[in-house]
Amino acid sequence: MTAHANQWLNDDMTAQIDNVPSYSLIKKHGIKRVRLIISETCDVQVIAPFSVVKADIDIFVSSKKSWIDKTLAKQRQKVIFTYSVDHFREGLIEGLWYLGRSYQLVFNADLPKGGFFKENMLVIGGDLSTNEKIAQYLNLWIKERAEDVIVDRVSYWSHKMQLFPKKITCRNMKSRWGSCSSQKKLSFAIGLISLDLSLIDYVVIHELAHLRHMNHGALFWELVSSFCPDMKSLRKDLKQYAPVLIIQ
């Protein structure tokens, strides 16, 4: 989960600004507070009103240095599914994670374009002339598999829960495993495909529950736990991973 810190800036706020942690800044209209975000990929970002000057933002960020350091240390302990085609070819990576299991990648240019599982291997065929082509194909293949699995699980749990989204999308997400909009549209991280099916089901149930309760109140958690009795242990397990999935 992305970490957040909010604060009003005022004239009484003092801090040492000699060592301001590195951050990216986004200015927005219609907000009153400065917001500090640390993503699953350890990006530090500040969202601030246009009226707040850079010097005051530096003071705010500097005042949060201890929290930033602790949060970054915690985030860096998480498993991030980042792969390099070079490392695959050189045997430096054991395998690609798919539904909670690691598969050794085998490249075979003599086979038609496609991917298929064989025992503990994922065999990739087609044009393997460049790493860029391999990465492009693997990313597309993973996205298609993620869409197949997630749409299937949403369909299954929608009928169980009698909650039906208007649209389902799968995309690369840096800080969330899933989201639900007020228009009843669900989005899921492609990175879910790396996880065990029980964790995917928990995320699907969680987002479907938001179709009824657009909050994290008691009624929301009661609904989730009624369909996912192991909710607490699954939430704990999920925190070990980041939703990002990168093949390059």
Side-chain angles (χ1 to χ4, degrees):
M1 181 180 292
T2 303
H4 305 263
N6 296 278
Q7 188 164 329
W8 294 98
L9 291 179
N10 56 66
D11 294 334
D12 297 327
M13 188 175 179
T14 58
Q16 296 295 324
I17 59 172
D18 296 333
N19 267 327
V20 180
S22 177
Y23 66 90
S24 59
L25 175 63
I26 297 176
K27 291 287 190 84
K28 283 189 175 182
H29 293 290
I31 61 173
K32 296 180 179 180
R33 296 188 180 194
V34 176
R35 187 181 182 195
L36 177 63
I37 300 173
I38 299 178
S39 75
E40 300 283 359
T41 51
C42 298
D43 298 314
V44 181
Q45 187 179 84
V46 174
I47 301 174
F50 276 93
S51 58
V52 180
V53 298
K54 179 74 163 53
D56 286 340
I57 295 171
D58 283 347
I59 292 173
F60 166 66
V61 174
S62 183
S63 74
K64 299 293 182 183
K65 187 176 185 305
S66 177
W67 177 83
I68 291 171
D69 290 342
K70 290 178 182 177
T71 304
L72 285 174
K74 188 176 180 180
Q75 298 287 58
R76 284 169 181 150
Q77 293 176 0
K78 295 188 175 184
V79 176
I80 299 178
F81 297 103
T82 303
Y83 305 99
S84 162
V85 173
D86 273 337
H87 290 171
F88 278 130
R89 285 184 147 177
E90 295 168 10
L92 300 177
I93 299 178
E94 291 185 1
L96 184 143
W97 284 88
Y98 182 86
L99 295 181
R101 179 180 171 186
S102 179
Y103 289 88
Q104 178 188 355
L105 261 96
V106 176
F107 302 104
N108 189 336
D110 294 329
L111 295 174
K113 183 178 180 180
F116 63 91
F117 293 104
K118 183 179 180 182
E119 297 177 348
N120 65 333
M121 297 182 293
L122 170 56
V123 183
I124 301 296
D127 185 353
L128 308 174
S129 57
T130 66
N131 286 354
E132 290 75 18
K133 288 183 177 180
I134 294 172
Q136 183 181 27
Y137 177 68
L138 277 175
N139 279 300
L140 177 61
W141 187 88
I142 285 290
K143 184 176 188 295
E144 289 174 347
R145 300 294 79 72
E147 288 172 344
D148 289 345
V149 171
I150 291 168
V151 168
D152 177 72
R153 301 318 291 167
V154 171
S155 175
Y156 174 83
W157 287 108
S158 287
H159 286 86
K160 287 272 189 182
M161 300 170 73
Q162 286 298 293
L163 294 168
F164 300 93
K166 290 186 177 178
K167 186 178 180 181
I168 305 165
T169 58
C170 296
R171 56 191 177 88
N172 262 317
M173 301 172 77
K174 286 188 175 181
S175 59
R176 295 182 181 183
W177 290 106
S179 65
C180 175
S181 74
S182 57
Q183 291 79 37
K184 300 186 181 299
K185 298 177 181 179
L186 302 186
S187 293
F188 294 95
I190 293 172
L192 278 170
I193 198 62
S194 304
L195 306 181
D196 187 85
L197 196 59
S198 61
L199 292 173
I200 297 176
D201 280 347
Y202 163 70
V203 174
V204 168
I205 292 168
H206 183 114
E207 298 309 330
L208 284 171
H210 279 311
L211 296 175
R212 182 171 295 166
H213 304 291
M214 286 294 290
N215 55 57
H216 288 107
L219 291 176
F220 168 82
W221 290 117
E222 183 180 329
L223 177 60
V224 174
S225 63
S226 67
F227 289 95
C228 187
D230 296 330
M231 174 188 75
K232 289 185 178 180
S233 63
L234 291 170
R235 286 184 70 198
K236 184 179 178 181
D237 290 344
L238 194 62
K239 290 179 181 179
Q240 300 176 51
Y241 307 99
V244 180
L245 195 162
I246 301 170
I247 303 173
Q248 56 191 7

